[in-house]
Structure formats: structure tokens, C-alpha cells
Amino acid sequence: MSEANRGARGVVPPQRPGMSEANRDGVGFIGLGQMGEPMARHLTGRGLVVFDARADAVAPLVEAGARAARSVAEVAAHCALVSIMVRDDDQVREVAEEAIAAARPGTVLAIHSTIRAKTAEDLAEKARRYDIEVVDAPVSGGFMGASAGSLAVMVGGTPEAFERCREPFGDWADLVLHMGPVGAGTRTKLARNLLHFVSFTAAAEAQRLAEASGVSLRKLGRIVRHTDAITGGAGAIMLRPTTAPLEPDDDLYDILRHTRDLGEKDLSLALELAGELGVDAPFARLALERFGAGLGLAEDTDG
């Protein structure tokens, strides 16, 4: 779509039958894949308008009460809030630019895909020319959270845009947080997913150690899932507003010093076992080397 067409703010795509003026304050959802479909399903009571390139993805939402649009532009022209959940930066740009061309002033476009922060910032700058808000609002919690309506959503955008999104997002999310300006939501998601996927590699290392020791990997997995649900896993130590070294009078100092002592002991024992069994454990070695400093404790902190 050309820049000339993007500037034609009065042009609205032809309405399909049943898409009345009354629907213009509804919620739109574009991209009905594994995450988008269950997220959108929670919005059917809000005058939901949906679009996906695959007709078979649209049909179940229509059966649940949504209205089907013929294009991205038609969704954007009829909805005050439009959610976008497509695959990557290129698809986000394509969809968002078509939506910007058709949306009315005051519309909020919410990008839920995990993309580059710069992509969201560029689209927000372009949309601002037409009095359209863009928020980057990636989610965490997987298909299970999307189905249950218990996702976490990290929103980057103006405070005003966030307030307009907060309630609809709450239909499919248990935790809705404003992280800062456009781009902040995506930066939060990338930091969160760094932890998520690095931990998968650490889990593979732990499984190699367990397997070499003759331990059941399935039972180990049950133990990990059970105890992480109790302790909160790695998130349990993410309590500080800074990564700077802790001062001895900090309320968390003794707690994290105890955590450091236990962690260094157990990592040392695991590395000893790995050495006996000939299992390479580079993540464990790196963790032991950096464990105390990562908690904010200097190497010579003995109390």
C-alpha cells in the first residue's frame, strides 16, 4: 500500500454485511495461530472482529460469536483496539502498516509478537502522524496461559494507551504491566526469554548428569516441575531493583548470602559428580564462577 493511500484518512474499506457502525468500538484481533486464537476467544464479548489469512482459523471464532473481516484494513477501520499476533518483524510491519492506513485517529494497535524493539518504535513513530497509538505488548505463559486466560503481558507505550488496553488485555491475562515507553515491552520479553531458553540448555546439562548417574529423567523432570512451582524457580531471586553489589545493611543481604553458600556448595558437588562420570558441564562451571557476583555479593563477602 502506497504512502499516498496511507495518508487518505477518510477512506474506509467497504463494509461487509453485518459490520455496522455500532461495531466501530469493538476489539480486533489479527493472527489466529496457536497463541492468537485462544487469546482472541476470551474477547468474544467485546464486539470482536477477527482476521487471518486462513479461513479455517477464523471459523471457530465466528462460531464463538466474533465477526469475520475480509482484510486487515477492515479490522482496523472498525475497531478502537486492534491486537496483532503474527510470526515475525516482517509480518508485523506488513500488517501494522496496512492497519495504520485504515484505522481512525485514536485507534490503539497492540503488537503481541516477539520482535525487535526498534520495529515497534518505528511503527509507533509512523502511526503517531495519524494520531494512532502503537503499543508493544508481548506475552508470556505459552499456549496453556493463553487458553486459561492467565498470561502475563508486558506493555510498552504511552500511559494513555496503556490505560485503554488494560481492561481488554485483562480478559486473557492475569498480569498486565506497563513497562515504559514503546519498545520497553519487547525489551522485557527478550530478557525474560533469555532466562527461559538459557535454562533449557542448563536443563539439558542436568539431564546428561542424571542419565550418566543412572537416574530416571522422567522422574527428575517431575521433581523439577513440582519444586519450581513451589519456590518460583529462578524468579525467586529476582527481587532487587538493580544488579549493583548489595550493601551489608540491605534486607536481602543475609538471605542471598545464604543462597550463595548453598548454591556454591551444591554446584561444587554436582561438578565433582560430573568429573567422576566424565560428563562435561560447562554451564555448571560458569554458574559456580559467577554465582555470588550474580546475586550481588562480592567474592570476599563473608559477613
Side-chain angles (χ1 to χ4, degrees):
M1 187 171 290
S2 70
E3 282 295 331
N5 286 336
R6 291 190 186 102
R9 308 308 302 157
V11 176
V12 177
Q15 294 186 24
R16 68 181 297 176
M19 193 75 76
S20 68
E21 191 74 20
N23 297 121
R24 286 182 175 275
D25 287 326
V27 175
F29 212 105
I30 299 165
L32 303 173
Q34 186 181 48
M35 292 292 291
E37 190 276 338
M39 289 168 66
R41 188 172 288 275
H42 291 287
L43 297 165
T44 52
R46 291 186 179 271
L48 179 65
V49 182
V50 295
F51 175 77
D52 192 284
R54 299 165 300 124
D56 61 324
V58 174
L61 272 299
V62 173
E63 290 177 9
R67 294 180 180 273
R70 293 169 295 183
S71 66
V72 168
E74 190 172 349
V75 177
H78 290 88
C79 298
L81 171 63
V82 178
S83 283
I84 298 170
M85 179 60 102
V86 293
R87 186 178 60 194
D88 55 24
D89 289 67
D90 289 342
Q91 286 191 358
V92 165
R93 285 192 198 93
E94 180 181 353
V95 169
E97 289 183 2
E98 185 175 348
I100 290 167
R104 294 162 296 146
T107 300
V108 177
L109 302 181
I111 301 169
H112 302 302
S113 312
T114 301
I115 54 173
R116 294 176 177 85
K118 184 68 163 56
T119 299
E121 291 168 341
D122 289 347
L123 289 168
E125 182 178 356
K126 181 174 295 188
R128 211 169 287 124
R129 303 171 197 166
Y130 308 114
D131 194 25
I132 295 167
E133 296 266 18
V134 169
V135 299
D136 59 316
V139 301
S140 186
F143 172 79
M144 302 79 69
S147 297
S150 58
L151 292 170
V153 54
M154 302 144 266
V155 185
T158 65
E160 295 78 15
F162 173 71
E163 287 303 321
R164 293 176 60 195
C165 295
R166 184 204 296 264
E167 188 178 339
F169 287 179
D171 287 355
W172 45 257
D174 276 348
L175 182 63
V176 183
L177 291 181
H178 186 211
M179 306 308 301
V182 176
T186 296
R187 293 184 178 97
T188 305
K189 175 65 182 293
L190 294 178
R192 193 272 171 273
N193 275 14
L194 182 148
L195 174 62
H196 186 63
F197 291 115
V198 164
S199 72
F200 283 12
T201 307
E205 185 167 293
Q207 289 178 96
R208 290 196 299 272
L209 178 61
E211 189 172 48
S213 302
V215 169
S216 165
L217 299 188
R218 292 185 183 277
K219 290 181 179 178
L220 172 63
R222 289 181 62 188
I223 293 293
V224 170
R225 290 188 293 274
H226 180 87
T227 54
D228 276 3
I230 297 169
T231 67
I237 61 118
M238 300 177 74
L239 303 172
R240 304 171 59 216
T242 176
T243 59
L246 276 166
E247 296 295 334
D249 60 353
D250 192 293
D251 290 342
L252 291 172
Y253 184 88
D254 288 337
I255 295 170
L256 292 180
R257 186 178 65 174
H258 178 66
T259 300
R260 179 203 62 184
D261 293 345
L262 283 177
E264 289 181 345
K265 173 183 69 69
D266 289 358
L267 284 166
S268 296
L269 291 172
L271 282 165
E272 181 181 308
L273 178 60
E276 293 170 359
L277 297 171
V279 175
D280 188 27
F283 263 53
R285 289 195 299 273
L286 186 62
L288 179 58
E289 175 188 331
R290 301 184 180 181
F291 196 70
L295 294 174
L297 300 167
E299 291 184 6
D300 58 354
T301 300
D302 296 316

